[in-house]
Amino acid sequence: MENTEKNNETPKEVDIKNLLETQLKNLEENNFNLYFFTMDTKGNPTAGIANIYKHVKTLNDLGYKASILHEKNDYTSVNTWLGEEYSKLPHVSIEEQQLKVNADDIIFIPEIFSNVMEQTTKLPCKKIVFCQAYDYVLEMMMPGKRWMDYGIDECLTTSDKQAEYLKNLMGPNLKTKVIPVSIPKFFTPNEKPTKPIISIFTRDQRDTVKIFKSFYLKYPHLKWFTFRDMRNMSVEKYAENMSECCISVWVDDISGFGTFPLESMKCNIPVLGKVPNMVPEWMEDKNGLWTHDINAIPDILANYVQAWLEDAAPTELYEKMGEVKDKYTEETQKEKIQEVYKEIIDERITEVKFKLERFEEMSAMSSEANNEIKN
């Protein structure tokens, strides 16, 4: 009370100042929480969820307090497909009311959950969109709404192309930061010769059926080649199975980055794919067998496997694959995570310092005005 009277500050002003000072202290001492809202895949492997877990693990390794935030108590563990090191990361359930948010905390919300953005509007913490799938941005958003309407002006994404798209969509005031995905080390070439197996991943499983049925129908002499659907496997089993194949087939029109072809290249397995709507920044004419026509895939595939059987696969294809396959390493991603999240925290510190300085200036002006009235 004595200090309040001395500085002519009201109790409310003292509370605001203390709050800002506490917030600043917590940010400077890394005494805050980073929450990553995550959907429950019910045990189904998902590249986007795996990437979120990589961020959370790396941030904890760097000394931050990062947690997976999920809605229900019965959230399905990722142990079966990501492993124990990820399933044991801190998890917080909203249903169990474990979430206690302070002004210095940050919540990262996936692009599809505009309902969560709206529900968290009144929370005192900072919110950042984590956008990995640009095509889902408007999925649940009310017409005419943008992220800024929910108090969000910052987005974390995985490529420069997605960042450009989001700024064009949401407006130039959106601040974007980019952290590319990484390909785990266990995606390596197989020591044994590759087999007459074709790994295939399509976002719509009907495309998988269409491709292999068309292939067998048009090229019955190649029916002894086996198609391997790359769904619902643990990451390590997935990598092992992929490395055995002679070629990979990829169709994903709305891919935001394209991890599957990069994983294949990392195993030194060529990729035959349909060019997605947003062309990946790593994609070049000669580092894969690319087409804009899904109906052409069986024909291109038949030509390639015939060349493979004759040991005449194009050498330039492998050379161009080599230029990109080692670009997205776990080490590179960890360095980028450290750099970008430090930027986020430093910007938050600068913002709070500005608020505190501005508040002190306004309080001083108010005190002077009150003194003049008294005199």
Side-chain angles (χ1 to χ4, degrees):
M1 176 64 72
E2 182 180 347
N3 186 57
T4 301
E5 292 176 352
K6 182 178 178 180
N7 293 293
N8 292 318
E9 292 177 340
T10 66
K12 184 177 180 180
E13 288 175 330
V14 172
D15 289 342
I16 294 173
K17 184 177 180 181
N18 288 341
L19 180 64
L20 289 170
E21 288 176 340
T22 300
Q23 188 178 351
L24 181 60
K25 183 173 182 292
N26 288 339
L27 287 167
E28 290 177 333
E29 296 178 356
N30 278 357
N31 186 26
F32 56 89
N33 292 290
L34 301 172
Y35 295 107
F36 290 77
F37 189 78
T38 308
M39 68 178 293
D40 188 349
T41 68
K42 304 298 181 182
N44 295 316
T46 306
I49 302 300
N51 192 40
I52 291 175
Y53 271 86
K54 287 180 185 179
H55 280 238
V56 172
K57 183 180 184 303
T58 301
L59 288 167
N60 278 287
D61 291 344
L62 290 170
Y64 292 101
K65 293 191 291 184
S67 301
I68 296 293
L69 177 64
H70 52 86
E71 188 175 1
K72 301 292 184 181
N73 293 337
D74 60 350
Y75 179 81
T76 308
S77 172
V78 298
N79 185 55
T80 56
W81 61 281
L82 274 182
E84 189 175 0
E85 65 174 336
Y86 290 101
S87 65
K88 285 194 170 182
L89 290 171
H91 287 66
V92 176
S93 168
I94 296 175
E95 185 179 45
E96 202 170 274
Q97 298 182 338
Q98 297 174 340
L99 182 62
K100 296 179 180 178
V101 178
N102 297 314
D104 37 79
D105 296 334
I106 303 175
I107 298 179
F108 295 85
I109 305 172
E111 72 291 322
I112 192 171
F113 292 109
S114 57
N115 59 326
V116 176
M117 300 177 201
E118 184 175 8
Q119 292 164 8
T120 56
T121 301
K122 294 184 179 180
L123 289 181
C125 64
K126 183 177 182 63
K127 297 177 293 295
I128 297 176
V129 173
F130 195 162
C131 179
Q132 301 187 75
Y134 73 95
D135 198 63
Y136 292 152
V137 168
L138 302 176
E139 188 84 7
M140 299 173 66
M141 191 170 290
M142 293 293 293
K145 290 286 187 180
R146 62 185 70 210
W147 293 337
M148 289 74 168
D149 295 320
Y150 307 126
I152 301 174
D153 64 355
E154 193 164 344
C155 173
L156 186 63
T157 188
T158 56
S159 71
D160 291 328
K161 285 197 172 184
Q162 284 201 87
E164 181 182 358
Y165 168 84
L166 294 168
K167 288 182 79 72
N168 288 336
L169 182 67
M170 294 293 168
N173 291 331
L174 180 69
K175 295 178 286 185
T176 58
K177 298 186 187 300
V178 176
I179 302 178
V181 302
S182 64
I183 308 303
K185 291 179 179 177
F186 40 76
F187 283 93
T188 57
N190 202 309
E191 295 178 358
K192 299 178 181 179
T194 53
K195 302 175 182 179
I197 301 174
I198 301 161
S199 68
I200 184 167
F201 178 83
T202 63
R203 183 172 290 270
D204 186 340
Q205 198 158 15
R206 292 175 302 174
D207 287 330
T208 295
V209 176
K210 177 182 176 181
I211 289 168
F212 80 73
K213 284 188 175 181
S214 297
F215 180 80
Y216 288 147
L217 186 63
K218 297 178 74 173
Y219 304 98
H221 62 288
L222 297 174
K223 274 188 177 180
W224 56 285
F225 275 82
T226 302
F227 282 82
R228 177 177 284 167
D229 191 346
M230 303 296 287
R231 298 174 191 269
N232 302 326
M233 305 178 193
S234 68
V235 180
E236 292 186 11
K237 187 66 176 175
Y238 176 94
E240 179 186 344
N241 285 343
M242 177 172 277
S243 70
E244 295 177 345
C245 301
C246 63
I247 188 170
S248 296
V249 175
W250 176 60
V251 178
D252 186 354
D253 286 337
I254 61 172
S255 172
F257 191 83
T259 54
F260 178 86
L262 289 172
E263 290 162 347
S264 184
M265 291 181 193
K266 190 76 172 174
C267 295
N268 208 35
I269 307 300
V271 184
L272 163 56
K274 183 176 182 291
V275 178
N277 297 336
M278 181 180 287
V279 181
E281 54 196 34
W282 51 262
M283 183 178 281
E284 298 176 1
D285 289 342
K286 296 182 179 180
N287 62 10
L289 304 171
W290 311 122
T291 178
H292 290 276
D293 182 7
I294 189 172
N295 295 319
I297 288 178
D299 301 326
I300 300 171
L301 182 58
N303 289 335
Y304 177 83
V305 297
Q306 190 62 49
W308 177 79
L309 288 171
E310 297 169 1
D311 200 22
T315 55
E316 186 179 16
L317 174 61
Y318 285 88
E319 290 172 359
K320 291 296 182 180
M321 282 166 47
E323 294 175 6
V324 69
K325 69 179 184 180
D326 294 323
K327 184 177 180 181
Y328 300 100
T329 65
E330 291 177 303
E331 290 75 16
T332 301
Q333 188 189 42
K334 287 176 181 177
E335 291 173 3
K336 195 65 177 176
I337 287 174
Q338 183 173 15
E339 173 192 328
V340 169
Y341 282 92
K342 185 179 184 302
E343 284 180 10
I344 291 172
I345 304 308
D346 287 347
E347 288 169 4
R348 188 78 170 129
I349 289 172
T350 300
E351 179 185 334
V352 175
K353 280 183 176 179
F354 175 79
K355 287 181 179 179
L356 184 58
E357 291 170 2
R358 185 63 177 159
F359 175 79
E360 289 174 341
E361 289 174 3
M362 296 298 292
S363 294
M365 291 172 61
S366 177
S367 296
E368 290 177 6
N370 288 336
N371 289 333
E372 288 178 3
I373 293 171
K374 288 178 181 179
N375 293 332

